[in-house]
Amino acid sequence: MLRKGLIATFSLLLVLSMALAGCSSSSSSDDILVYGRGADSKSLDAAVVTDGESIKVTKNIYDTLVDYGDDNTDIQAALATKWDVSDDALTYTFTLREGVKFHDGTDFNADAVVSNFKRWMSGDGEYYYYKSMFGGFEGDAGHVIKEVKALDTYQVQFTLTRPQAPFLKNLAMPVFGIASPTAIEKHGDKYGENPVGTGPFKFVEWKRGDTITLEKNEDYWMEGYPKLSKVIFQSIPDNQSRLNALLTGAIDLMDGVSPSDVAKIEGEADYQVFTRPSMNVGYLGLNVEKGPLKNKLVRQALNHAVDKQAIIDAFYEGQAEPAKNPLPPIIAGYNDDIDPYPYDLEKAKKLLKQAGYGDGFTMELWAMPVPRPYMPDGKKVAEAIQASFAKIGVNARIKSYDWATYLDLARKGEADSFLLGWTGDNGDADNFLYVLLDKDTIDSNNYARYSSDKVHDLLIKAQSTPDEAERTKLYKEAQEIIHEDAPWIPLVHSKPALGAHSKVQGFTPHPTGSDKLTKVYFK
């Protein structure tokens, strides 16, 4: 049995685990879970992060007003026990759970909710998700939330400027976890290193590039939970090293299992594989403000130059399907009538010539430096695309940065083209199309900097109607325009795999990619 609490670094973890291998399996009576992942977090201030590595930690520190089901995106009570919606869908009144404390001992109440929303809507910070989900900040024309006010200690009321169909689903996103106003004021710009929520686990320690340790919130409002006494998030960027750590007992659970390693884990009697529901898209973004990529015909040509099935066969072991739209088929509103760009090099050359680039051109192709659920090996996929582009005369120079820099620079529009992806946050088409490709979200999550007034009008209309049939129609129309404008090369919808020791119980991989570990235990 491993003594995880005594292990400070992954190197030491691995050395010890290898020494113990053969005389030990993973924990049995131990209630400390070591979760191996591909990269470190950027921040633990839930409101400022957009990367999955940060969110998978903050999801366990904070609670939201409402939450998703254990294995779906259906809305259920969390910090709010009930809510009433006015007939015109412009007023939401939430009744809050009483007796809940933040980890610093201060009270959770309506004033704390108001304080958090005032912080986010002020725009005085990098609250990318708030901007993406609620149409901008206070004072912006598209801002959806007109007012948030406390009616009494445990009632808070939201007034909207227009109906927003996915409003509750948006509130359930981990980035809108309610933080302690006292802690925010106390730590200032260092709050992201000193997070305080009401969630099942409390922050203990962050060793940059190595581990983040959380401990059980003994006063958690869910009676009998959490089961674990500690969770340690261990950063192990290399997929093979992370797998070795799992199979030698150094970690208990790992995400980012390489598709080629799934069978290996399944072949081990003491281990199990979890498959996360596919609610994602991996893509190559084409910056529509950069050089030849400003030309729609060039972007269409590049779409024709990528053999998606070959990429899936080479790097996904069949654990993915080709993508043709920016959202996966399981999301309501998916347009299955769209014909994907076929792999056709002659068509691609013809389009390049028509665009005035018959002799080709040179561009950057950014390769993500860390494995992601939708992209097990960004460098190899980039090399495959580079080879394809070379066949039509496009010289793609591969570049990469550390993960935080990669995201920051790509967001600012520095990349010509970039590999990236998205796992849906709330199960709604709005969370893909509006968040990733609306003109409102340029400088936020719209890294391709795509802007279409027609698409914008359709997406805002879809947000504002409660009629699901009408919303589906609008989203399908928006996808037709996006397909024609080609700001992305949609690549895959993957089926992400996680590996765990068989003693890990109560774990349910959530389709959003953010797992709350409240119910996990060791048998």
Side-chain angles (χ1 to χ4, degrees):
M1 187 174 304
L2 295 174
R3 292 76 178 165
K4 293 184 280 271
L6 301 177
I7 302 171
T9 66
F10 168 67
S11 297
L12 186 54
L13 270 167
L14 191 56
V15 169
L16 287 176
S17 66
M18 292 179 70
L20 292 169
C23 63
S24 167
S25 62
S26 188
S27 307
S28 55
S29 60
D30 198 345
D31 57 359
I32 300 174
L33 179 84
V34 181
Y35 187 132
R37 58 189 181 139
D40 199 4
S41 298
K42 290 183 65 181
S43 170
L44 298 181
D45 180 350
V48 305
V49 296
T50 60
D51 63 301
E53 298 301 347
S54 296
I55 294 172
K56 70 179 55 167
V57 180
T58 62
K59 175 79 175 177
N60 289 282
I61 297 174
Y62 302 93
D63 289 315
T64 42
L65 289 178
V66 291
D67 206 346
Y68 305 122
D70 288 345
D71 60 356
N72 56 55
T73 54
D74 295 342
I75 293 300
Q76 62 180 20
L79 286 177
T81 56
K82 66 176 184 178
W83 47 94
D84 296 311
V85 186
S86 63
D87 291 340
D88 60 5
L90 291 176
T91 305
Y92 288 70
T93 304
F94 293 87
T95 299
L96 306 181
R97 192 176 298 277
E98 299 185 22
V100 176
K101 297 277 190 183
F102 288 105
H103 300 155
D104 59 3
T106 57
D107 292 331
F108 164 75
N109 52 35
D111 286 340
V113 176
V114 172
S115 175
N116 274 266
F117 274 87
K118 282 189 174 179
R119 178 187 183 222
W120 304 332
M121 67 173 62
S122 72
D124 185 20
E126 297 175 332
Y127 307 128
Y128 303 112
Y129 257 116
Y130 185 90
K131 178 182 179 183
S132 296
M133 305 313 299
F134 298 116
F137 299 113
E138 191 170 27
D140 292 345
H143 189 217
V144 171
I145 299 178
K146 181 179 180 181
E147 183 183 31
V148 184
K149 64 180 180 181
L151 300 182
D152 58 35
T153 305
Y154 293 109
Q155 278 207 319
V156 65
Q157 188 173 82
F158 291 70
T159 304
L160 308 187
T161 57
R162 59 176 171 81
Q164 187 184 48
F167 183 67
L168 287 173
K169 284 193 169 184
N170 290 348
L171 291 184
M173 290 168 54
V175 292
F176 302 122
I178 304 299
S180 161
T182 303
I184 291 171
E185 182 175 354
K186 175 182 177 182
H187 296 291
D189 60 6
K190 297 294 184 183
Y191 175 73
E193 300 169 17
N194 300 277
V196 178
T198 63
F201 296 97
K202 301 190 290 187
F203 173 74
V204 175
E205 182 183 43
W206 186 352
K207 296 180 179 177
R208 293 280 184 178
D210 188 14
T211 58
I212 293 176
T213 300
L214 310 182
E215 67 179 9
K216 179 177 184 175
N217 176 7
E218 299 284 358
D219 299 319
Y220 194 48
W221 52 267
M222 283 184 69
E223 190 173 350
Y225 294 100
K227 297 292 188 184
L228 299 168
S229 65
K230 274 187 183 177
V231 177
I232 300 172
F233 290 92
Q234 175 75 55
S235 300
I236 309 174
D238 180 69
N239 283 8
Q240 189 59 51
S241 297
R242 198 160 61 258
L243 176 64
N244 290 341
L246 176 69
L247 297 181
T248 55
I251 62 176
D252 304 296
L253 173 68
M254 69 169 284
D255 66 5
V257 174
S258 294
S260 58
D261 291 330
V262 169
K264 186 174 184 180
I265 298 175
E266 289 176 333
E268 296 284 342
D270 291 334
Y271 292 87
Q272 57 186 322
V273 172
F274 296 100
T275 301
R276 193 183 299 285
S278 180
M279 196 169 76
N280 63 49
V281 58
Y283 65 91
L284 181 71
L286 306 174
N287 188 333
V288 301
E289 296 178 351
K290 287 278 195 175
L293 298 178
K294 295 176 182 175
N295 191 316
K296 179 174 73 176
L297 298 178
V298 171
R299 301 194 299 269
Q300 291 176 342
L302 296 180
N303 265 273
H304 279 294
V306 176
D307 187 345
K308 300 173 188 176
Q309 190 58 54
I311 289 174
I312 290 171
D313 292 344
F315 307 117
Y316 290 80
E317 299 282 330
Q319 300 297 312
E321 62 178 304
K324 62 180 181 181
N325 287 317
L327 71 166
I330 64 170
I331 300 291
Y334 179 81
N335 192 337
D336 202 28
D337 294 329
I338 284 178
D339 292 325
Y341 291 101
Y343 177 55
D344 187 338
L345 296 177
E346 293 307 313
K347 177 71 173 178
K349 291 176 183 175
K350 186 176 178 181
L351 285 168
L352 282 184
K353 186 175 182 181
Q354 190 178 343
Y357 293 98
D359 295 328
F361 61 90
T362 296
M363 60 181 277
E364 291 179 354
L365 196 169
W366 287 23
M368 51 210 304
V370 295
R372 305 302 304 140
Y374 38 75
M375 194 71 62
D377 193 325
K379 184 172 184 294
K380 289 182 179 177
V381 172
E383 289 171 351
I385 295 174
Q386 179 188 48
S388 291
F389 285 176
K391 293 176 183 176
I392 60 170
V394 174
N395 176 27
R397 295 175 178 169
I398 295 176
K399 293 184 69 172
S400 194
Y401 299 91
D402 69 85
W403 187 221
T405 303
Y406 187 99
L407 292 174
D408 286 342
L409 294 180
R411 176 181 293 111
K412 294 173 182 172
E414 296 294 324
D416 292 343
S417 68
F418 51 90
L419 284 172
L420 210 55
W422 187 257
T423 299
D425 296 293
N426 64 13
D428 197 281
D430 179 75
N431 186 249
F432 283 87
L433 298 179
Y434 179 76
V435 170
L436 303 177
L437 289 162
D438 191 87
K439 67 178 184 180
D440 284 349
T441 61
I442 293 173
D443 291 328
S444 180
N445 289 308
N446 181 355
Y447 291 22
R449 309 182 79 78
Y450 172 65
S451 178
S452 164
D453 289 337
K454 289 182 180 177
V455 169
H456 174 74
D457 291 344
L458 289 166
L459 297 183
I460 295 299
K461 193 173 180 182
Q463 277 187 1
S464 304
T465 177
D467 185 326
E468 286 302 322
E470 177 65 12
R471 295 187 76 213
T472 293
K473 179 182 173 185
L474 294 166
Y475 285 130
K476 286 186 174 183
E477 188 175 347
Q479 286 165 81
E480 291 172 3
I481 299 170
I482 293 168
H483 180 75
E484 171 69 17
D485 289 345
W488 288 8
I489 302 176
L491 294 173
V492 300
H493 305 298
S494 70
K495 301 171 186 172
L498 301 93
H501 195 276
S502 59
K503 295 181 182 300
V504 175
Q505 300 288 302
F507 176 74
T508 304
H510 200 268
T512 61
S514 302
D515 305 312
K516 211 153 194 170
L517 303 172
T518 313
K519 298 179 180 177
V520 175
Y521 64 97
F522 289 96
K523 71 176 181 182

